Amino acid sequence: MSEPPGAPAQLVVRYQRGLGVAALVGGALLLVLGLGTGDVLNIVLGLILGGLGLGYALGAAVVWTATELQLKSPLGTTTRRYPVAGPADLRIDGNTLVHTPSGKKVVSLGFGLDRGDVARLREAVGGPGDGRPPSSSA
């Protein structure tokens, strides 16, 4: 059920880059403050916040491949996998992406996700159900 290594992603929904940049700036400020004062707590928090900021700025939240939908954390690890044969296996209820066969809510499509990527996902899920995931236009 899992993808072979190197299988291309068909559609990617990224995290909102503004949140990542804000976290990076906050982490850098905490790190500089910690290094300036010798406060280990600020150094550690600055490193953690900076790492999360990088994840938000560069990472993907949802990846739709030919056979599955993957939910990813800001650190890049896959937290959940849902088998998907095509667009008919997904639906959008308001701002929530739902896996139709299991009835489970996958992710909220509101705050924190890139609006353009969410719009492409809405178009793909609401588009014609030809059994194939959409091709990447990015």
Side-chain angles (χ1 to χ4, degrees), residues 70-85:
Q70 302 170 357
L71 186 60
K72 302 231 178 219
S73 75
L75 299 177
T77 59
T78 302
T79 57
R80 289 218 173 251
R81 296 177 189 267
Y82 297 91
V84 175

Side-chain angles (χ1 to χ4, degrees), residues 6-92:
Q10 301 296 322
L11 191 134
V12 175
V13 177
R14 294 168 296 185
Y15 288 105
Q16 193 174 36
R17 288 201 175 137
L19 290 175
V21 171
L24 275 171
V25 169
L29 290 174
L30 282 173
L31 187 60
V32 168
L33 177 66
L35 291 173
T37 61
D39 185 7
V40 177
L41 182 61
N42 278 337
I43 294 172
V44 171
L45 289 176
L47 290 172
I48 291 172
L49 192 58
L52 281 174
L54 272 176
Y56 270 97
L58 303 176
V62 178
V63 177
W64 184 0
T65 66
T67 59
E68 69 183 2
L69 185 76
Q70 302 170 357
L71 186 60
K72 302 231 178 219
S73 75
L75 299 177
T77 59
T78 302
T79 57
R80 289 218 173 251
R81 296 177 189 267
Y82 297 91
V84 175
D89 286 350
L90 300 172
R91 77 175 191 275
I92 296 178

